[in-house]
């Protein structure tokens, strides 16, 4: 009986969490008049208005917003993985003076709120002439991912037997070959975890792009949604269609990487 009650509570909770998503899909399929006349209903009262997606995609330049988001997210993921797997490999396998101090300095940055660095970061990016550029959006995102990425990758590399490293050295491999031929392939679960976290973070990031970008040609998808929401007369069907376009890539990516994400979080952060 207790088990049944738990399942009922979880099902009700799941339906409650699912309702906003269902409402978003239903509203995106409504006409503007239907969305205003029946705002609480999650289902369109007439035939689904599929043309809303085409209007949002073409008329509001969502294609350019989508391309910008893809470029920013892809470069952030690649940059985070390349930079911080190399750093983590050095922390996990090399012995040198100041290693612990540098490592724990990065870990301490987890306690620093990112919003406190926005003003100096904006001043630096502006002085470097990186306003309204991809680099200006991307570099701070890569930098902000450093503490957790270094922590997870270092923890994961430490779980790999050091005898493997010593055997590769005896076989004549230099450190870089050991890194990208042995340790990098073995770290795929941790890489998948960091990749999905940074994909979601960079894809949904709106605060920093709003600060560093003021050209509409450089807008990302969240900024495009903000543009839709800023009109005096809100078309809720178009706003929800834009929101659905924005979340679809995340909904597609996460199920494929879910197992790798869970494995990376459990193995990389628990085993030391």
């Amino acid at each position: 009986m207790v088990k049944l009650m738990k399942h009922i509570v979880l099902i009700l909770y799941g339906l409650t969490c699912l309702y906003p998503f269902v409402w978003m899909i239903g509203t995106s399929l409504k006409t503007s008049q239907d969305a205003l006349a029946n705002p609480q209903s999650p289902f369109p009262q007439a035939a689904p208005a599929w043309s809303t997606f085409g209007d949002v995609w073409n008329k509001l330049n969502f294609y350019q917003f989508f391309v910008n988001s893809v470029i920013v997210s892809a470069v952030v993921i690649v940059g985070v993985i390349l930079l911080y797997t190399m750093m983590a490999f050095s922390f996990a396998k090399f012995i040198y003076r100041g290693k612990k101090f540098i490592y724990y300095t990065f870990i301490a940055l987890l306690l620093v709120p990112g919003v406190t660095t926005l003003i100096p970061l904006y001043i630096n990016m502006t002085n470097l002439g990186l306003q309204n550029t991809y680099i200006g959006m991307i570099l701070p995102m890569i930098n902000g991912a450093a503490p957790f990425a270094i922590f997870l990758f270092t923890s994961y590399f430490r779980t790999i037997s050091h005898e493997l490293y010593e055997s590769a050295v005896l076989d004549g491999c230099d450190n870089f070959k050991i890194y990208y031929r042995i340790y990098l392939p073995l770290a795929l679960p941790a890489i998948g975890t960091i990749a999905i976290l940074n994909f979601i973070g960079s894809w949904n990031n709106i605060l920093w792009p709003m600060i560093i970008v003021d050209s509409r040609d450089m807008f990302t998808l969240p900024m495009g949604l903000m543009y839709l929401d800023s009109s005096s007369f809100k078309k809720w069907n178009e706003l929800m269609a834009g929101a659905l376009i924005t979340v679809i890539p995340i909904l597609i990516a996460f199920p494929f990487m879910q197992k790798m994400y869970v494995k990376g979080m459990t193995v990389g952060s628990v085993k030391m």
Side-chain angles (χ1 to χ4, degrees), residues 196 199-200 203-204 246-255:
I196 192 66
F199 171 65
I200 294 173
W203 189 269
N204 291 331
T246 302
V247 302
I248 281 176
I250 296 175
L251 295 177
I252 293 174
F254 190 81

Side-chain angles (χ1 to χ4, degrees), residues 57-78:
W57 186 264
N58 297 319
K59 295 180 182 179
L60 298 175
N61 203 28
F62 251 56
Y63 171 75
Q64 185 61 49
F65 302 159
F66 184 85
V67 171
N68 291 339
S69 288
V70 169
I71 292 173
V72 170
S73 297
V75 177
V76 166
I77 292 170
V78 173

Side-chain angles (χ1 to χ4, degrees), residues 11-257:
I11 290 171
L12 292 175
Y13 177 74
L15 291 174
T16 303
C17 295
L18 192 62
Y19 175 79
F21 185 69
V22 174
W23 185 88
M24 178 179 69
I25 296 174
T27 303
S28 68
L29 296 175
K30 294 179 181 180
T31 61
S32 297
Q33 295 81 0
D34 190 9
L36 289 173
N38 303 285
Q40 296 180 349
S41 173
F43 305 107
Q45 302 299 309
W50 298 101
S51 60
T52 305
F53 293 95
D55 293 340
V56 170
W57 186 264
N58 297 319
K59 295 180 182 179
L60 298 175
N61 203 28
F62 251 56
Y63 171 75
Q64 185 61 49
F65 302 159
F66 184 85
V67 171
N68 291 339
S69 288
V70 169
I71 292 173
V72 170
S73 297
V75 177
V76 166
I77 292 170
V78 173
V80 167
I81 291 172
L82 288 180
L83 285 174
Y84 301 134
T85 50
M86 287 190 284
M87 290 185 66
F89 181 70
S90 74
F91 287 140
K93 298 302 173 184
F94 300 163
I95 298 175
Y96 51 88
R97 184 175 297 177
K99 182 181 78 170
K100 287 187 177 181
F101 175 77
I102 298 171
Y103 175 72
Y104 286 114
T105 299
F106 274 108
I107 301 305
L109 292 176
L110 286 168
L111 304 176
V112 178
V115 70
T116 60
T117 65
L118 288 178
I119 293 176
L121 195 57
Y122 174 77
I123 294 173
N124 287 337
M125 293 293 107
T126 304
N127 290 338
L128 291 171
L130 297 178
Q131 192 174 14
N132 289 318
T133 63
Y134 289 122
I135 297 177
M137 282 193 286
I138 290 168
L139 285 181
M141 294 185 191
I142 293 176
N143 183 64
F148 183 73
I150 290 172
F151 166 72
L152 188 63
F153 285 138
T154 303
S155 300
Y156 199 91
F157 285 146
R158 284 173 178 168
T159 66
I160 301 174
S161 174
H162 192 66
E163 294 177 357
L164 189 62
Y165 175 83
E166 293 175 342
S167 298
V169 171
L170 291 175
D171 288 338
C173 285
D174 58 37
N175 286 321
F176 188 72
K177 285 184 178 179
I178 296 173
Y179 157 73
Y180 80 84
R181 288 188 176 181
I182 300 174
Y183 278 79
L184 202 59
L186 290 176
L188 284 179
I191 290 173
T193 301
I194 295 299
I196 192 66
L197 287 175
N198 283 278
F199 171 65
I200 294 173
S202 58
W203 189 269
N204 291 331
N205 194 328
I206 188 172
L207 181 59
W208 176 244
M210 281 178 60
I211 293 172
I212 199 65
V213 169
D214 56 25
S215 172
R216 195 164 182 265
D217 292 336
M218 294 298 298
F219 278 12
T220 57
L221 279 174
M223 295 179 72
L225 284 178
M226 179 191 67
Y227 180 82
L228 283 176
D229 192 38
S230 63
S231 59
S232 56
F233 177 73
K234 291 183 176 60
K235 294 184 178 181
W236 288 103
N237 58 330
E238 291 185 353
L239 188 58
M240 292 301 105
L244 188 58
I245 291 172
T246 302
V247 302
I248 281 176
I250 296 175
L251 295 177
I252 293 174
F254 190 81
F256 287 104
M257 303 186 72

